[in-house]
Amino acid sequence: METLLCKHWHHCRSGDVAQFLDTDPERGLSVFEVKHRQEKFGPNTVTVKKRTGPFMRFLKQFHQPLVYILLAAGGTTALLREWVDSSVILGVVLVNAVIGYIQEDKAERAIESLKNLMATSSTVLRDGKHVTVPSAELVPGDVVLLQSGDKVPADLRLHISRELRIDESALTGESVPVEKTEAELPPETILADRKNMAYGGTLVAYGQGRGIVVATGDKTETGRISELVAGAADLSTPLTKKIARFSTILLWAILVLAGLTFGVGLWRGESAVDMFMAAVALAVGAIPEGLPAAVTITLAIGVSRMARKRAIIRKLPAVETLGSTTVICSDKTGTLTENQMTVRRIYAGGEFYSVSGVGYTPEGSFSIAEKDLQAPLPEALAECLRAGLLCNDARLLREDEAWKIQGDPTEGALIVAAAKGGMDVEETVDAFPRLDSIPFESERQYMATLHGGGQEGAGIVYLKGAVEKILTKCERFLDTGGGLQPVDRPAVHRAAEDMAAGGLRVLALARKETTAESGRIGQDDVSSGLTFLGFQGMIDPPRPEALEAVRLCRAAGIEVKMITGDHALTAATIARQIGIGRADGGEGAAPAALTGQDLAHLGDDEMIRAAAEVSVFARVAPEQKLRLVEALQARGQIVAMTGDGVNDAPALKQADIGVAMGITGTDVAKEAADMVLTDDNFASITRAVEEGRRVFDNLVKFIIWTLPTNGGEGLVILAAILTGTTLPILPVQILWINMTTAVLLGLMLAFEPQEKDVMERPPRDPRAPLLDKVMIGRILLVTILMLGAVFSLFLRQKGQGYPIEVARTVAVNQFVMIELFYLFNCRSLTRSAFRIGFFINPWVLVGSAMMVVLQLLFTYTPVMNRLFQTAPVSVRDWGIILLISYGVYLAIGLEKMVRNRKKS
């Protein structure tokens, strides 16, 4: 056995697989051969990729332009021996770095979850004996025995399957356990349809089986997903991209202005030392020291608010990213749907009945032609329900106030339907005790059970199974009143097709009375002479709240796409019910769906086009989910991906924001995601988008509030150098303005509630800059007003013979008061503070009051006068300061009003 390269294990006959792997299906491998193969192939574990060391990962947190600006600010304040301010600035840098390091460290644990996924024990054949060994010790060629409840330890090619059904939902998205077989399959068979394979990490739901290990560790499908997760890019968010671009521009602008200040001063004959200090003052003034803190705190407030709304944010920028989202790619099973099979329609006695209620809760009603049925139910309907209840191996249990199914979800749906029909499950089972059964096998496509309790001691055989298999055995059917009529096969087939066209999984039910005294039944007993009872059609239904959530997303200009491993018809049906893809086919039509096989033949350009035009993708493999996300991103979309399975993890990590389900989600999905929904509620995403838009709005409000101050301070210094005037404000005073106003005024904007139209706007263009032309124009307007007000007032104070300390104190207070009044302008980007209400954000009032108190201390206390070289000012000066500040407030209000009138 030189190599294990076999491209299509599912295409090989099981005997050929055993020969190829040099193993005996009846005896397994020898102990010596196992040891040899363990040395050759290594342990059956997913390799954890070597990560960058902790120190380097910590240093990388400083590698961004905004941090460079802060480090420069900290360095300059240290040169000025302003140790408190320097410590504060560098402390902000350090806190941001620590938070970023912790978030990154937590996110990179996704691969380790995949390793834990396969940490189980397995029963194998070794030297002809059944032995239990750790799954990590399995090797290719091992013969593994499977039974109900087992976790499949590696990828197996099955060679024995006895009623074997495996829950592969975490790997493929298939909503019901897959029936397994031993027969070889065509080479092009997609992962979800490979019924002769059992994949590592999936769960045996029913039956028994035996398979040969064909892949272990990194070579398994789970291992391949590990590579996809590791290879998926860690994308920067729209906010971090824009902040980085903005910070780079700001960095160069500051350096140019500082250099210009130094050069002009030297040209005017000033000393190099004085000009260096002037350049430092300009740089300190122009650097927005509070911006990183504002970003972090605003995002942290968003995280706290989202936690109260049952959404855990694992990475701070993810809050804002949701607000930028243009496309949500949602998994179906367990995300948009309940992940609980539910009977929705029944055909019995020639009539269609609708069944209400969702999931495993046995509450609901039956209706015909939209009219509710009253007890007792029609005989044909009651008997159809009874057959589904008795020909059944599942159990309905109540645990912790929740209803759960033990066994096959399809059988569980039949029990719940019977309970909705008023049948007491235990009483019915006791009244018709099971005597014998013919288990379901994929070749037969039906299950039969023999029960006592028939008339005059006769036994009753109930069957359920595939439509074709059951109908061929039926000679008559039970009509509504309980009478027997010849089977109208064309009508019955049309009924089955009608139900299947609605995306329902259809099961046929039948019965036969028997006088068999042995208490046993065989296949011959149910080969003919059956009475057709009807069909039960079931589906994993959509969550009731998903419909409203999708509608809100569409209203907000966000496109919702479904990417699932389930069948195309089922996916399209659910999509139609919740409103996905209606643009494809009209209000009532099911949207067009592409399958994994369709996608496999598409080139990159065709994939990008398909990702944009199609809303439903079914039978999709993990790498195809990843490719679809990449295709959408190639068109400039900001993609949010939701999911709960192992198969979703690569796409969750690649997406701009990955959203995992907290209850049904696997550890792998949670670790790969940026956000986890603790209630598995798709509607929580809508609330998260709302919160994300609020966060971005508030960050923009902070930026347009803080930049005029930084620009005004820098321009005041530059104006002083150009005119040969003494500096109106000192570097230490600039730091006082920047740090105190950022904390007490600017950060109060982080608590601003969302504006009323936040979910009526289209998503922001991902290519749009952080600030649009209107905002830039407003920043320039306020900057010029600040420059004019402060510089002219300073010159006035000097001209009237006031000491330089008084003139500078007036200049500082003018800066602060303009910022305070302008803060109220910034509470809404388009409306006045009077229209949004002064008291809806009390923190703004609290911060403003505290700022006034600090400025009074700054102006009148001897300690502050010594520290900051200030002096008391007169009441008359305060009157001028407040009058000018109010004038700036009115000017911005007028600018808003003019722009709003132009829009209308």
Side-chain angles (χ1 to χ4, degrees):
M1 188 181 64
E2 296 299 323
T3 179
L4 287 184
L5 295 178
C6 182
K7 193 172 182 181
H8 303 299
W9 292 111
H10 59 275
H11 183 52
C12 303
R13 288 179 297 182
S14 59
D16 293 340
V17 172
Q19 185 177 359
F20 185 80
L21 294 175
D22 193 18
T23 188
D24 183 346
E26 302 303 323
R27 291 186 55 81
L29 298 171
S30 68
V31 174
F32 297 108
E33 181 62 22
V34 168
K35 186 175 182 181
H36 170 68
R37 295 191 186 189
Q38 285 173 343
E39 292 172 355
K40 182 174 183 179
F41 297 108
N44 177 35
T45 55
V46 175
T47 302
V48 177
K49 203 171 182 180
K50 189 176 180 181
R51 296 161 61 185
T52 308
F55 182 68
M56 288 304 298
R57 278 188 284 129
F58 181 70
L59 286 183
K60 281 174 66 178
Q61 306 303 319
F62 298 91
H63 183 53
Q64 45 186 309
L66 194 60
V67 173
Y68 297 155
I69 293 176
L70 280 177
L71 289 172
T76 51
T77 50
L79 288 173
L80 294 169
R81 297 182 179 275
E82 298 296 333
W83 305 117
V84 174
D85 298 303
S86 178
S87 299
V88 170
I89 296 170
L90 294 176
V92 168
V93 175
L94 186 63
V95 168
N96 284 338
V98 170
I99 291 173
Y101 173 82
I102 292 171
Q103 298 286 347
E104 182 180 309
D105 185 69
K106 191 175 180 182
E108 290 303 319
R109 291 176 189 163
I111 309 294
E112 295 180 30
S113 288
L114 284 161
K115 183 177 180 180
N116 296 333
L117 191 66
M118 300 174 70
T120 58
S121 296
S122 305
T123 302
V124 298
L125 276 174
R126 298 260 172 97
D127 287 325
K129 298 177 182 178
H130 291 195
V131 294
T132 300
V133 298
S135 297
E137 296 179 6
L138 293 182
V139 295
D142 258 327
V143 178
V144 177
L145 284 69
L146 301 173
Q147 61 183 0
S148 180
D150 285 352
K151 180 178 285 187
V152 180
D155 288 1
L156 313 177
R157 171 61 169 90
L158 298 169
H159 68 93
I160 293 178
S161 175
R162 295 193 178 115
E163 309 167 48
L164 183 63
R165 299 177 214 168
I166 296 181
D167 180 357
E168 297 180 339
S169 59
L171 183 66
T172 67
E174 176 69 66
S175 55
V176 296
V178 179
E179 300 165 9
K180 294 296 181 177
T181 182
E182 308 96 12
E184 63 268 26
L185 298 168
E188 67 274 10
T189 305
I190 64 172
L191 180 71
D193 291 335
R194 295 174 190 171
K195 297 187 176 182
N196 57 11
M197 298 290 295
Y199 292 107
T202 59
L203 296 169
V204 179
Y206 190 82
Q208 298 177 328
R210 186 180 295 187
I212 300 170
V213 175
V214 296
T216 58
D218 294 335
K219 301 299 182 183
T220 62
E221 288 297 323
T222 301
R224 283 198 323 108
I225 292 175
S226 168
E227 292 179 8
L228 291 173
V229 173
D234 282 317
L235 300 180
S236 54
T237 70
L239 178 67
T240 56
K241 289 177 186 175
K242 289 173 182 177
I243 290 288
R245 194 180 306 121
F246 170 75
S247 301
T248 303
I249 295 170
L250 192 61
L251 178 62
W252 284 109
I254 290 170
L255 292 175
V256 169
L257 283 175
L260 181 63
T261 300
F262 186 76
V264 169
L266 290 180
W267 178 72
R268 291 182 59 85
E270 303 288 345
S271 73
V273 174
D274 288 344
M275 288 306 95
F276 174 75
M277 292 307 297
V280 167
L282 185 145
V284 170
I287 292 173
E289 293 91 346
L291 183 55
V295 171
T296 302
I297 292 171
T298 303
L299 292 175
I301 291 169
V303 168
S304 177
R305 287 168 61 97
M306 283 308 304
R308 292 195 294 271
K309 296 176 181 179
R310 300 183 179 277
I312 304 300
I313 304 297
R314 299 183 60 245
K315 302 172 185 177
L316 280 181
V319 182
E320 184 278 329
T321 309
L322 268 168
S324 310
T325 298
T326 57
V327 178
I328 297 177
C329 295
S330 178
D331 184 36
K332 179 187 73 68
T333 307
T335 306
L336 291 167
T337 65
E338 296 279 359
N339 201 16
Q340 296 181 349
M341 293 298 287
T342 306
V343 174
R344 303 301 289 266
R345 291 185 77 194
I346 296 176
Y347 177 77
E351 300 283 357
F352 282 106
Y353 300 92
S354 297
V355 187
S356 67
V358 174
Y360 296 145
T361 303
E363 296 175 0
S365 60
F366 293 79
S367 62
I368 181 170
E370 299 185 358
K371 293 182 179 179
D372 288 344
L373 294 180
Q374 303 298 324
L377 298 178
E379 181 61 28
L381 175 58
E383 190 65 4
C384 184
L385 293 172
R386 188 177 295 112
L389 171 60
L390 294 173
C391 188
N392 201 309
D393 288 327
R395 294 180 62 200
L396 178 63
L397 306 172
R398 186 163 192 171
E399 296 179 2
D400 300 325
E401 301 302 317
W403 291 92
K404 298 181 180 180
I405 289 296
Q406 187 179 80
D408 190 291
T410 300
E411 292 191 323
L414 297 174
I415 297 176
V416 174
K420 289 177 181 177
M423 293 185 183
D424 186 290
V425 175
E426 293 185 4
E427 285 184 6
T428 304
V429 170
D430 290 342
F432 297 90
R434 182 187 294 192
L435 305 176
D436 196 15
S437 66
I438 300 175
F440 181 93
E441 287 190 6
S442 54
E443 292 80 9
R444 289 195 293 265
Q445 299 266 305
Y446 70 83
M447 173 183 178
T449 53
L450 172 63
H451 300 266
Q455 294 180 0
E456 298 180 359
I460 306 174
V461 180
Y462 286 112
L463 285 85
K464 74 170 188 294
V467 173
E468 291 297 331
K469 293 292 183 180
I470 297 297
L471 284 180
T472 57
K473 303 173 184 294
C474 295
E475 297 176 357
R476 52 192 176 273
F477 81 97
L478 196 67
D479 64 21
T480 306
L484 297 177
Q485 305 292 337
V487 176
D488 184 349
R489 296 187 186 278
V492 171
H493 278 289
R494 283 196 301 272
E497 290 167 2
D498 179 70
M499 294 174 74
L504 299 176
R505 184 182 186 192
V506 182
L507 284 181
L509 297 111
R511 77 177 186 192
K512 182 179 183 180
E513 293 189 358
T514 177
T515 57
E517 298 179 357
S518 63
R520 300 184 65 83
I521 53 169
Q523 294 186 47
D524 291 341
D525 295 316
V526 294
S527 60
S528 61
L530 270 62
T531 299
F532 173 68
L533 300 177
F535 299 129
Q536 293 199 41
M538 62 194 69
I539 197 169
D540 178 15
R543 292 175 177 270
E545 62 274 12
L547 177 62
E548 176 64 11
V550 170
R551 188 195 66 77
L552 287 173
C553 285
R554 293 174 68 192
I558 301 168
E559 191 174 359
V560 181
K561 294 181 183 290
M562 180 188 292
I563 303 178
T564 179
D566 212 340
H567 295 279
L569 181 59
T570 304
T573 300
I574 295 295
R576 173 179 55 79
Q577 291 177 0
I578 62 178
I580 292 177
R582 282 180 176 164
D584 296 338
E587 187 70 15
L594 283 181
T595 66
Q597 282 188 325
D598 299 327
L599 297 177
H601 299 101
L602 299 183
D604 289 344
D605 291 341
E606 294 171 310
M607 176 67 86
I608 291 172
R609 194 178 311 114
E613 296 174 356
V614 180
S615 297
V616 181
F617 301 89
R619 307 305 272 174
V620 177
E623 60 269 25
Q624 290 174 328
K625 289 189 178 187
L626 180 63
R627 198 173 166 214
L628 281 168
V629 171
E630 291 172 333
L632 288 166
Q633 290 170 333
R635 294 179 67 94
Q637 303 281 13
I638 302 300
V639 182
M641 172 74 190
T642 75
D644 58 356
V646 175
N647 59 325
D648 298 318
L652 285 172
K653 190 174 182 187
Q654 175 64 34
D656 295 278
I657 177 164
V659 183
M661 303 297 115
I663 299 173
T664 58
T666 61
D667 287 342
V668 182
K670 293 174 190 174
E671 290 293 337
D674 304 286
M675 184 173 88
V676 179
L677 303 181
T678 59
D679 59 355
D680 284 14
N681 192 336
F682 181 82
S684 296
I685 298 173
T686 308
R687 295 192 291 270
V689 169
E690 199 170 50
E691 181 64 25
R693 293 188 175 189
R694 186 195 71 84
V695 165
F696 185 83
D697 277 358
N698 289 350
L699 285 174
V700 170
K701 290 171 185 177
F702 177 86
I703 290 170
I704 67 168
W705 171 83
T706 193
L707 287 187
T709 303
N710 298 117
E713 290 166 346
L715 290 179
V716 163
I717 301 295
L718 185 59
I721 299 300
L722 291 174
T723 59
T725 304
T726 308
L727 293 182
I729 46 177
L730 298 173
V732 69
Q733 294 170 341
I734 291 173
L735 279 171
W736 167 266
I737 296 170
N738 290 355
M739 299 307 291
T740 56
T741 58
V743 173
L744 294 178
L745 299 181
L747 285 181
M748 299 304 108
L749 291 171
F751 298 95
E752 201 66 36
Q754 68 194 41
E755 299 197 29
K756 291 180 180 179
D757 64 344
V758 72
M759 287 300 284
E760 296 171 9
R761 314 172 197 159
R764 295 187 306 278
D765 184 347
R767 297 176 292 268
L770 185 63
L771 301 173
D772 60 23
K773 292 179 180 178
V774 174
M775 296 302 107
I776 292 173
R778 188 173 298 166
I779 290 169
L780 291 175
L781 174 60
V782 179
T783 300
I784 292 169
L785 292 174
M786 271 193 176
L787 168 63
V790 172
F791 198 62
S792 61
L793 197 56
F794 174 76
L795 292 178
R796 176 182 176 276
Q797 294 293 109
K798 276 189 65 182
Q800 292 183 356
Y802 284 98
I804 190 67
E805 290 82 7
V806 174
R808 282 174 172 160
T809 304
V810 169
V812 169
N813 281 314
Q814 184 65 80
F815 264 120
V816 171
M817 288 301 118
I818 290 177
E819 282 192 82
L820 191 151
F821 277 80
Y822 179 50
L823 179 71
F824 288 88
N825 291 120
C826 293
R827 290 184 57 202
S828 173
L829 300 177
T830 57
R831 295 182 295 167
S832 73
F834 292 100
R835 291 194 64 187
I836 64 173
F838 267 90
F839 302 102
I840 60 172
N841 181 6
W843 290 105
V844 167
L845 301 177
V846 171
S848 298
M850 293 177 67
M851 191 70 242
V852 169
V853 171
L854 272 185
Q855 283 309 113
L856 292 174
L857 294 173
F858 175 85
T859 305
Y860 294 109
T861 59
V863 174
M864 302 294 272
N865 294 157
R866 282 198 306 274
L867 285 175
F868 293 98
Q869 300 179 45
T870 59
V873 300
S874 68
V875 175
R876 183 170 176 273
D877 291 331
W878 275 112
I880 296 172
I881 289 169
L882 293 175
L883 187 63
I884 292 174
S885 301
Y886 184 63
V888 172
Y889 170 81
L890 291 178
I892 302 306
L894 181 62
E895 181 258 353
K896 284 184 186 180
M897 186 172 67
V898 170
R899 289 191 184 278
N900 289 337
R901 284 185 177 176
K902 284 183 179 180
K903 284 183 181 180
S904 59

PDB file of all heavy atoms in Angstrom, residues 206-223:
ATOM      1  N   TYR A 206     -29.529   6.321  13.959  1.00  0.00           N
ATOM      2  CA  TYR A 206     -30.366   5.108  13.996  1.00  0.00           C
ATOM      3  C   TYR A 206     -29.603   3.980  13.304  1.00  0.00           C
ATOM      4  O   TYR A 206     -28.837   4.206  12.370  1.00  0.00           O
ATOM      5  CB  TYR A 206     -31.681   5.385  13.268  1.00  0.00           C
ATOM      6  CG  TYR A 206     -32.739   4.306  13.420  1.00  0.00           C
ATOM      7  CD1 TYR A 206     -33.546   4.249  14.548  1.00  0.00           C
ATOM      8  CD2 TYR A 206     -32.932   3.359  12.423  1.00  0.00           C
ATOM      9  CE1 TYR A 206     -34.509   3.274  14.681  1.00  0.00           C
ATOM     10  CE2 TYR A 206     -33.900   2.379  12.547  1.00  0.00           C
ATOM     11  CZ  TYR A 206     -34.697   2.333  13.684  1.00  0.00           C
ATOM     12  OH  TYR A 206     -35.655   1.357  13.816  1.00  0.00           O
ATOM     13  N   GLY A 207     -29.848   2.757  13.772  1.00  0.00           N
ATOM     14  CA  GLY A 207     -29.339   1.583  13.079  1.00  0.00           C
ATOM     15  C   GLY A 207     -27.901   1.247  13.412  1.00  0.00           C
ATOM     16  O   GLY A 207     -27.301   1.765  14.364  1.00  0.00           O
ATOM     17  N   GLN A 208     -27.350   0.338  12.592  1.00  0.00           N
ATOM     18  CA  GLN A 208     -25.984  -0.135  12.781  1.00  0.00           C
ATOM     19  C   GLN A 208     -25.270  -0.157  11.434  1.00  0.00           C
ATOM     20  O   GLN A 208     -25.892  -0.164  10.367  1.00  0.00           O
ATOM     21  CB  GLN A 208     -25.984  -1.546  13.381  1.00  0.00           C
ATOM     22  CG  GLN A 208     -26.618  -1.632  14.758  1.00  0.00           C
ATOM     23  CD  GLN A 208     -26.667  -3.060  15.269  1.00  0.00           C
ATOM     24  OE1 GLN A 208     -26.798  -3.994  14.483  1.00  0.00           O
ATOM     25  NE2 GLN A 208     -26.574  -3.220  16.579  1.00  0.00           N
ATOM     26  N   GLY A 209     -23.954  -0.183  11.500  1.00  0.00           N
ATOM     27  CA  GLY A 209     -23.187  -0.234  10.274  1.00  0.00           C
ATOM     28  C   GLY A 209     -21.745  -0.605  10.546  1.00  0.00           C
ATOM     29  O   GLY A 209     -21.301  -0.664  11.695  1.00  0.00           O
ATOM     30  N   ARG A 210     -21.039  -0.848   9.463  1.00  0.00           N
ATOM     31  CA  ARG A 210     -19.621  -1.164   9.552  1.00  0.00           C
ATOM     32  C   ARG A 210     -18.936  -0.539   8.346  1.00  0.00           C
ATOM     33  O   ARG A 210     -19.451  -0.585   7.230  1.00  0.00           O
ATOM     34  CB  ARG A 210     -19.414  -2.671   9.559  1.00  0.00           C
ATOM     35  CG  ARG A 210     -17.970  -3.095   9.786  1.00  0.00           C
ATOM     36  CD  ARG A 210     -17.826  -4.608   9.789  1.00  0.00           C
ATOM     37  NE  ARG A 210     -18.524  -5.249  10.901  1.00  0.00           N
ATOM     38  CZ  ARG A 210     -18.433  -6.544  11.187  1.00  0.00           C
ATOM     39  NH1 ARG A 210     -17.695  -7.348  10.424  1.00  0.00           N
ATOM     40  NH2 ARG A 210     -19.098  -7.039  12.217  1.00  0.00           N
ATOM     41  N   GLY A 211     -17.785   0.095   8.567  1.00  0.00           N
ATOM     42  CA  GLY A 211     -17.102   0.753   7.466  1.00  0.00           C
ATOM     43  C   GLY A 211     -15.602   0.697   7.606  1.00  0.00           C
ATOM     44  O   GLY A 211     -15.066   0.468   8.692  1.00  0.00           O
ATOM     45  N   ILE A 212     -14.925   0.895   6.477  1.00  0.00           N
ATOM     46  CA  ILE A 212     -13.471   0.888   6.435  1.00  0.00           C
ATOM     47  C   ILE A 212     -12.976   2.333   6.444  1.00  0.00           C
ATOM     48  O   ILE A 212     -13.453   3.168   5.672  1.00  0.00           O
ATOM     49  CB  ILE A 212     -12.971   0.174   5.168  1.00  0.00           C
ATOM     50  CG1 ILE A 212     -13.473  -1.274   5.146  1.00  0.00           C
ATOM     51  CG2 ILE A 212     -11.449   0.214   5.086  1.00  0.00           C
ATOM     52  CD1 ILE A 212     -13.232  -1.987   3.834  1.00  0.00           C
ATOM     53  N   VAL A 213     -12.034   2.614   7.323  1.00  0.00           N
ATOM     54  CA  VAL A 213     -11.472   3.961   7.398  1.00  0.00           C
ATOM     55  C   VAL A 213     -10.691   4.250   6.113  1.00  0.00           C
ATOM     56  O   VAL A 213      -9.762   3.530   5.756  1.00  0.00           O
ATOM     57  CB  VAL A 213     -10.541   4.104   8.620  1.00  0.00           C
ATOM     58  CG1 VAL A 213      -9.871   5.482   8.616  1.00  0.00           C
ATOM     59  CG2 VAL A 213     -11.311   3.902   9.910  1.00  0.00           C
ATOM     60  N   VAL A 214     -11.080   5.320   5.422  1.00  0.00           N
ATOM     61  CA  VAL A 214     -10.393   5.705   4.187  1.00  0.00           C
ATOM     62  C   VAL A 214      -9.628   7.012   4.342  1.00  0.00           C
ATOM     63  O   VAL A 214      -8.793   7.344   3.495  1.00  0.00           O
ATOM     64  CB  VAL A 214     -11.394   5.820   3.010  1.00  0.00           C
ATOM     65  CG1 VAL A 214     -12.014   4.467   2.704  1.00  0.00           C
ATOM     66  CG2 VAL A 214     -12.475   6.857   3.300  1.00  0.00           C
ATOM     67  N   ALA A 215      -9.928   7.767   5.391  1.00  0.00           N
ATOM     68  CA  ALA A 215      -9.208   9.019   5.615  1.00  0.00           C
ATOM     69  C   ALA A 215      -9.219   9.342   7.099  1.00  0.00           C
ATOM     70  O   ALA A 215     -10.230   9.157   7.776  1.00  0.00           O
ATOM     71  CB  ALA A 215      -9.849  10.156   4.824  1.00  0.00           C
ATOM     72  N   THR A 216      -8.089   9.831   7.593  1.00  0.00           N
ATOM     73  CA  THR A 216      -7.979  10.210   8.999  1.00  0.00           C
ATOM     74  C   THR A 216      -7.414  11.625   9.099  1.00  0.00           C
ATOM     75  O   THR A 216      -6.803  12.138   8.158  1.00  0.00           O
ATOM     76  CB  THR A 216      -7.049   9.251   9.775  1.00  0.00           C
ATOM     77  OG1 THR A 216      -5.753   9.254   9.138  1.00  0.00           O
ATOM     78  CG2 THR A 216      -7.596   7.845   9.787  1.00  0.00           C
ATOM     79  N   GLY A 217      -7.628  12.249  10.272  1.00  0.00           N
ATOM     80  CA  GLY A 217      -7.014  13.539  10.568  1.00  0.00           C
ATOM     81  C   GLY A 217      -7.277  14.604   9.518  1.00  0.00           C
ATOM     82  O   GLY A 217      -8.416  14.858   9.116  1.00  0.00           O
ATOM     83  N   ASP A 218      -6.202  15.206   9.009  1.00  0.00           N
ATOM     84  CA  ASP A 218      -6.316  16.312   8.057  1.00  0.00           C
ATOM     85  C   ASP A 218      -6.899  15.884   6.717  1.00  0.00           C
ATOM     86  O   ASP A 218      -7.346  16.739   5.942  1.00  0.00           O
ATOM     87  CB  ASP A 218      -4.950  16.952   7.819  1.00  0.00           C
ATOM     88  CG  ASP A 218      -4.416  17.640   9.061  1.00  0.00           C
ATOM     89  OD1 ASP A 218      -5.248  18.035   9.910  1.00  0.00           O
ATOM     90  OD2 ASP A 218      -3.187  17.769   9.200  1.00  0.00           O
ATOM     91  N   LYS A 219      -6.891  14.595   6.411  1.00  0.00           N
ATOM     92  CA  LYS A 219      -7.387  14.113   5.114  1.00  0.00           C
ATOM     93  C   LYS A 219      -8.895  13.907   5.120  1.00  0.00           C
ATOM     94  O   LYS A 219      -9.494  13.656   4.073  1.00  0.00           O
ATOM     95  CB  LYS A 219      -6.705  12.793   4.740  1.00  0.00           C
ATOM     96  CG  LYS A 219      -5.183  12.884   4.633  1.00  0.00           C
ATOM     97  CD  LYS A 219      -4.758  13.861   3.560  1.00  0.00           C
ATOM     98  CE  LYS A 219      -3.236  13.913   3.427  1.00  0.00           C
ATOM     99  NZ  LYS A 219      -2.812  14.920   2.425  1.00  0.00           N
ATOM    100  N   THR A 220      -9.540  13.979   6.301  1.00  0.00           N
ATOM    101  CA  THR A 220     -10.992  13.821   6.362  1.00  0.00           C
ATOM    102  C   THR A 220     -11.676  15.084   5.844  1.00  0.00           C
ATOM    103  O   THR A 220     -11.039  16.123   5.652  1.00  0.00           O
ATOM    104  CB  THR A 220     -11.450  13.567   7.810  1.00  0.00           C
ATOM    105  OG1 THR A 220     -11.107  14.717   8.603  1.00  0.00           O
ATOM    106  CG2 THR A 220     -10.785  12.328   8.394  1.00  0.00           C
ATOM    107  N   GLU A 221     -12.993  14.971   5.631  1.00  0.00           N
ATOM    108  CA  GLU A 221     -13.749  16.158   5.223  1.00  0.00           C
ATOM    109  C   GLU A 221     -13.677  17.233   6.308  1.00  0.00           C
ATOM    110  O   GLU A 221     -13.575  18.421   6.010  1.00  0.00           O
ATOM    111  CB  GLU A 221     -15.210  15.793   4.942  1.00  0.00           C
ATOM    112  CG  GLU A 221     -15.415  14.993   3.669  1.00  0.00           C
ATOM    113  CD  GLU A 221     -15.014  15.776   2.427  1.00  0.00           C
ATOM    114  OE1 GLU A 221     -15.246  16.996   2.385  1.00  0.00           O
ATOM    115  OE2 GLU A 221     -14.464  15.161   1.495  1.00  0.00           O
ATOM    116  N   THR A 222     -13.713  16.814   7.578  1.00  0.00           N
ATOM    117  CA  THR A 222     -13.566  17.769   8.669  1.00  0.00           C
ATOM    118  C   THR A 222     -12.196  18.422   8.633  1.00  0.00           C
ATOM    119  O   THR A 222     -12.056  19.628   8.868  1.00  0.00           O
ATOM    120  CB  THR A 222     -13.775  17.073  10.029  1.00  0.00           C
ATOM    121  OG1 THR A 222     -15.077  16.501  10.059  1.00  0.00           O
ATOM    122  CG2 THR A 222     -13.639  18.053  11.180  1.00  0.00           C
ATOM    123  N   GLY A 223     -11.156  17.641   8.317  1.00  0.00           N
ATOM    124  CA  GLY A 223      -9.809  18.191   8.188  1.00  0.00           C
ATOM    125  C   GLY A 223      -9.694  19.182   7.052  1.00  0.00           C
ATOM    126  O   GLY A 223      -8.997  20.197   7.154  1.00  0.00           O
TER     127      GLY A 223
END
